[in-house]
Amino acid sequence: MANPFRKRSEWSRYGAVVFISIVLLVIDSTTKWLNGPRNVLSIVLSPVQALASVPAQVGRFFTPDLTAEADLDIAYDNLRNEYFKLKSETLLLRTLEEENRDLRALLDATERLQEKVTLAELQDVSLDRDNHRVAIGRGLRDGVYVGQAVIDDKGVIGQVTEVMPLSSIVVLITDPGHALPVQVERTGLRTVVNGMGSVSRLRVPYLNQNADIQQGDVLVSTGMGGRFPNGYPVAVISEIETKEDEAFIEVTATPIANLDRSNNVLLLSREAKEPLINDSLSNGEPSDQ
Amino acid sequence: MINSQERPLRLSIGVIISVLIALVMTVVQLPDWLFNFWPDWIALVIIYWCLIKPERVGPVVAFCIGTLLEVLFVRSFGVLGLGLATLAFIVNSTHQQIRIMTVWQQTLLVGLFVGILRLITGWLYGIVSDFTITSEYWFPIIGAMLFWPFVYILLEELRSALRIR
């Protein structure tokens, strides 16, 4: 069918679509006008999202039933032991916290900001290969805000980049576009970790040949970017490669948090203006007034 | 008469089912090494429908699917729409030649098409956000080529089950 009219209408349709895409692209990359429609559409599409996560949820539903009792016993014992260990450590922590506050008062230092913790569940649309992002089940409704730090029970996971009414998007520290100011716990050396697109590797750039760093060093967050509170473990140095004639050494680190395995994450909020909802837990001592 | 009225409905059911399955396959959790080769299922599905029903499934449908994906995956608007529309357009305009090819020749072409799609989207993401194309970015082309025969056979099954002609 070499119908010239048909050909022309094909071209014009394609041209129209290309034009619309480019307009969308420009609008979306320069303004925030499209966030509203996007939110509306995302609510409309949330059944699809739920449908897409059904296979994973079915798998998770059956795994506990299929684990052997012996395994459960071991898991129970482990949890029990860990519980008592943590409990005793918490007791110690209270006295330390008190001491710390007194010392800070002596030094006239500012009070450390209290952090509120909100539990959030991962909705498992594990988004993309090139963008390391996850969706969590807390949104605008729960007082989530852009820039909020997200951790799990081991360490830092990432930060909130997009807040939708019922869910929000967290960019992981392993995202190629993410950088996080950290400090080497052993020496206090300040540096940055960059994501490189692999879930198990982070890059520590710009370290001099004579930087005091070794394998196994723990990197903790500094409060510097203003996003993450300080002192949370981020990564462990896993590999140091020195190259002759290069100004910097190549350092690789492994994230401490279970980036690809944890189902529950914690949202840290700095100022906690909104009253937190039912299953949020409050971290830190109530201050004596 | 009745049949010709029913067909568009059946076709859209077929497209929706296959896109949903592709979506589930896209977001399924996988080990790292396999994930690197995981093909763009949506692209394969769109290639198939543009090949079989070029007069119904074209750039406009592909653009709509791409935009929906961008909402679901929270990517910047317009990139996937443009890439998938271009893919649909290429397949549409060459469907007569591709249809008479053997599966192996088709496989090579599918690799080329997915490569073009990834090139376009990679460039555009590079422009609108700080995204760099790494060598791993190209691995899914191999995955797409490996999976194309199976996708083709399964979608043919779906098509005959829904009696789309």
Side-chain angles (χ1 to χ4, degrees), chain A residues 52, chain B residues 20-30 35 38-39 41 147:
Chain B
L20 271 183
I21 295 174
L23 198 65
V24 173
M25 293 299 274
T26 310
V27 300
V28 79
Q29 310 244 320
L30 288 170
F35 198 53
W38 209 232
W41 295 98
F147 278 107

Side-chain angles (χ1 to χ4, degrees), chain A residues 6 9 25 32 42 60 72 76 80 83 94 97 137 139-140 155-156 195 231 247 256 258 260-261 289:
Chain A
R6 201 176 144 247
S9 88
L25 201 95
K32 293 193 164 167
S42 80
R60 213 183 298 149
L72 279 182
Y76 173 73
R80 212 177 125 90
Y83 171 74
R94 278 171 192 246
E97 220 165 69
L140 222 51
V156 174
I256 292 174
N258 286 333
D260 50 347
R261 280 182 294 275
Q289 282 161 356

